[in-house]
């Protein structure tokens, strides 16, 4: 969707600040949120991915929150949407009277494994729409739901650099609407093709884009 979270290529957002010797977590609660998110994700009971609840935040709220505040918001909304807890239970910190006490949903080892899980290459035989070296154009789409196609690349021409194979299409997968397996490509865009003559001629951006994002140039 077209939201404040899609900051790539936007002007006047200020310089990127780097923190020397930055710790993994700045506070204990951040690590707890990360662990909780991994544990709940490992149950495979969530109906939404991490990003949709964050992308639905009003811009002022998105910009106000820290990184792990966004994660906490997403975890809360996904738990409620998946009917694993109620909003009143979240607010009170206690299970509702009469609710069934569930057994351990996931083992500690499975929760740890979920942290390191990466999207799996699918085994389905899906014909690719494009070939390495082919010129393509990112479709100029403006979806109201989650997408991995950044705004700054829409309508711009690039070249297929590599075919990664077949993967789940995250635009539908993030909502539990099916995997819609298709090819995922590394696409090379020249910096000048994206931002004009003021960009350095030798610079380029490589984006991983699905079949559904591309059309022949």
């Amino acid at each position: 969707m077209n939201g404040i979270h899609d900051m790539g290529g936007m002007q006047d957002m200020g310089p990127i600040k780097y923190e020397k010797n930055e710790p993994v977590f700045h506070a204990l609660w951040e690590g707890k949120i990360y662990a909780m998110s991994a544990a709940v994700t490992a149950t495979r009971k969530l109906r939404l991915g991490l990003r949709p609840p964050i992308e639905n935040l009003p811009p002022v709220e998105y910009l106000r929150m820290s990184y792990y505040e966004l994660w906490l918001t997403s975890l809360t909304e996904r738990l409620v949407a998946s009917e694993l807890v109620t909003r009143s239970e979240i607010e009170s910190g206690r299970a509702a009277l009469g609710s069934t006490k569930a057994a351990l949903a996931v083992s500690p080892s499975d929760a740890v494994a979920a942290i390191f899980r990466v999207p799996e290459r699918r085994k389905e035989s899906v014909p690719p729409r494009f070939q390495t070296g082919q010129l393509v154009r990112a479709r100029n789409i403006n979806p109201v739901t989650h997408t991995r196609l950044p705004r700054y690349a829409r309508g711009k021409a690039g070249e297929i650099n590599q075919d990664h194979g077949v993967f789940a299409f995250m635009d539908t997968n993030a909502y539990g609407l099916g995997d819609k397996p298709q090819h995922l490509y590394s696409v090379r865009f020249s910096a000048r093709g994206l931002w004009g003559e003021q960009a350095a001629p030798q610079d380029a951006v490589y984006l991983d884009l699905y079949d559904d994002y591309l059309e022949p140039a």
Side-chain angles (χ1 to χ4, degrees):
M1 59 174 61
N2 296 342
I4 190 63
H5 62 279
D6 188 5
M7 292 183 176
M10 293 177 65
Q11 294 180 344
D12 301 322
M13 298 304 294
I16 297 175
K17 297 180 180 180
Y18 294 94
E19 183 177 342
K20 189 176 182 180
N21 299 320
E22 182 179 8
V24 176
F25 302 109
H26 289 82
L28 181 61
W29 70 268
E30 294 183 341
K32 290 182 177 180
I33 296 301
Y34 186 85
M36 289 165 57
S37 182
V40 176
T41 300
T43 68
R44 300 184 183 273
K45 294 181 178 180
L46 294 177
R47 298 174 185 171
L48 292 173
L50 172 70
R51 298 187 183 187
I54 295 175
E55 294 166 351
N56 282 322
L57 286 168
V60 66
E61 287 297 296
Y62 180 90
L63 293 174
R64 177 188 65 79
M65 292 182 180
S66 68
Y67 184 77
Y68 282 104
E69 282 183 286
L70 296 173
W71 273 52
L72 175 57
T73 298
S74 175
L75 179 58
T76 300
E77 295 301 319
R78 287 185 291 157
L79 284 168
V80 173
S82 304
E83 299 181 349
L84 297 176
V85 297
T86 65
R87 201 169 296 280
S88 61
E89 286 176 320
I90 290 287
E91 292 172 354
S92 68
R94 290 185 172 87
L97 292 175
S99 60
T100 302
K101 185 176 181 180
L104 184 65
V106 62
S107 69
S109 60
D110 286 342
V112 172
I115 296 175
F116 299 100
R117 186 179 297 136
V118 296
E120 297 179 354
R121 184 178 286 106
R122 304 297 293 258
K123 297 180 180 179
E124 290 94 333
S125 179
V126 179
R129 292 183 57 213
F130 307 99
Q131 304 297 324
T132 300
Q134 183 175 350
L135 296 179
V136 294
R137 187 176 302 278
R139 295 175 58 205
N140 189 9
I141 58 175
N142 293 279
V144 296
T145 52
H146 175 73
T147 184
R148 302 292 176 94
L149 176 56
R151 277 176 294 178
Y152 67 80
R154 297 175 194 173
K156 303 299 177 63
E159 180 181 332
I160 300 292
N161 179 67
Q162 183 181 354
D163 185 343
H164 293 306
V166 177
F167 289 83
F169 185 47
M170 296 309 298
D171 294 38
T172 54
N173 178 272
Y175 296 95
L177 299 177
D179 289 344
K180 198 180 181 182
Q182 55 189 269
H183 283 259
L184 180 67
Y185 310 90
S186 171
V187 184
R188 182 187 184 278
F189 295 86
S190 71
R192 286 194 167 180
L194 294 174
W195 294 295
E197 294 300 314
Q198 71 270 24
Q202 73 276 11
D203 289 351
V205 175
Y206 291 78
L207 297 175
D208 285 342
L209 302 177
Y210 294 98
D211 269 320
D212 277 11
Y213 293 165
L214 302 170
E215 58 190 14

